[in-house]
Amino acid sequence: MRNIVAFSLIAIVLSGCTYMEKARRVDLLEKENLDLKCRLAELKMDKQNESAVIQEKSKQLTELEKAKADLEESLKQEISDYQAKLEMTESGLVVTFIAEVFFDSGRAVLRAQGKESLRRVADVLGKDVPDSAVAVEGHTDNQPIRKSAWKSNWELSSARALAVVHFFVDECSVDPQKLSANGYGEYHPVSSNDTPEGRQKNRRVEIVILPSKMTKEKAE
């Protein structure tokens, strides 16, 4: 009789252990299922965010590519004469003019020819990239200032950049909040200053059109 009772108790205990083990496994499976659901939700959110980023970049690129195409048409003569070039960079769309298009040697007063080119640039800015910021950068060669009143090439390059910015605002109605001017003097050359051809390439004005998203982030 005692043996029967003992076996019965053992059976009950084993049964209870088996039940607890099953319950523990169920809990683990439920937790794993919940973790998987959370991970799937995260992956779905990541995919949505990635899709939104791709769409935004595509929109920005489309805007800049449209502006590039229109500028290529508008500045066809300047490009053909090697007075201007367009380049898509990580910073944005860069429109580069040799300085002689805009200015006489050592001066920062815009020439009539340069004004006409800038008007065509301003038309594209307003039409294709109205939400983009625009940085105007002045650059010179490394020849020291001798005959003009500028203290250094920094002053000259800065004055030239500002002349372009003022023209955009005063005569082309470009929003001044979109514009900035920077003078780099001789310190950002794109060619050797050892030859006349290289120095001409270094004397330039660059108009950098930023992607609209970058403009908004800077504003925030």
Side-chain angles (χ1 to χ4, degrees):
M1 185 67 178
R2 289 179 180 176
N3 289 336
I4 294 173
V5 172
F7 281 125
S8 298
L9 289 173
I10 291 171
I12 292 171
V13 170
L14 290 175
S15 177
C17 291
T18 301
Y19 175 79
M20 292 176 63
E21 179 63 21
K22 287 182 178 180
R24 188 179 71 81
R25 288 182 179 177
V26 169
D27 288 342
L28 287 174
L29 287 173
E30 288 180 348
K31 183 177 182 303
E32 289 177 359
N33 187 44
L34 182 60
D35 290 342
L36 284 173
K37 287 182 178 179
C38 291
R39 180 58 182 155
L40 285 172
E42 290 176 357
L43 290 172
K44 184 177 180 181
M45 182 64 69
D46 290 343
K47 187 174 182 180
Q48 290 175 343
N49 291 338
E50 183 180 353
S51 177
V53 169
I54 291 173
Q55 288 177 358
E56 181 63 27
K57 286 184 177 180
S58 177
K59 178 185 175 184
Q60 294 169 33
L61 190 58
T62 300
E63 289 177 349
L64 291 180
E65 286 180 338
K66 178 67 166 59
K68 185 174 184 290
D70 285 346
L71 284 168
E72 285 173 341
E73 180 63 28
S74 297
L75 302 174
K76 186 187 306 182
Q77 189 61 53
E78 289 89 338
I79 294 171
S80 175
D81 293 339
Y82 300 100
Q83 295 178 332
K85 71 174 183 177
L86 304 175
E87 185 180 10
M88 198 75 77
T89 70
E90 292 182 359
S91 300
L93 174 58
V94 181
V95 188
T96 302
F97 290 91
I98 62 171
E100 284 78 359
V101 173
F102 296 145
F103 307 104
D104 293 327
S105 178
R107 301 192 65 188
V109 178
L110 282 168
R111 302 170 62 194
Q113 174 191 355
K115 289 182 178 181
E116 180 56 35
S117 297
L118 288 175
R119 282 194 181 92
R120 296 199 294 272
V121 173
D123 288 342
V124 173
L125 293 179
K127 180 179 66 173
D128 294 339
V129 283
D131 297 325
S132 291
V134 179
V136 180
E137 302 177 353
H139 300 267
T140 68
D141 58 27
N142 68 344
Q143 299 301 293
I145 299 292
R146 290 192 180 94
K147 297 181 181 179
S148 61
W150 305 107
K151 183 178 179 181
S152 72
N153 283 319
W154 263 325
E155 280 79 7
L156 176 58
S157 63
S158 298
R160 286 177 168 179
L162 284 169
V164 172
V165 165
H166 282 301
F167 180 80
F168 275 151
V169 174
D170 298 339
E171 299 195 38
C172 303
S173 301
V174 177
D175 183 357
Q177 292 185 343
K178 293 171 48 177
L179 297 169
S180 63
N182 303 288
Y184 292 103
E186 65 205 66
Y187 298 105
H188 287 216
V190 293
S191 186
S192 170
N193 280 300
D194 294 335
T195 65
E197 294 79 12
R199 288 192 292 273
Q200 184 184 54
K201 290 179 181 179
N202 291 331
R203 296 190 302 270
R204 66 198 192 277
V205 173
E206 295 183 348
I207 301 169
V208 185
I209 306 169
L210 302 176
S212 56
K213 184 175 186 296
M214 189 180 297
T215 301
K216 292 174 184 175
E217 287 175 350
K218 285 192 173 185
E220 292 172 358

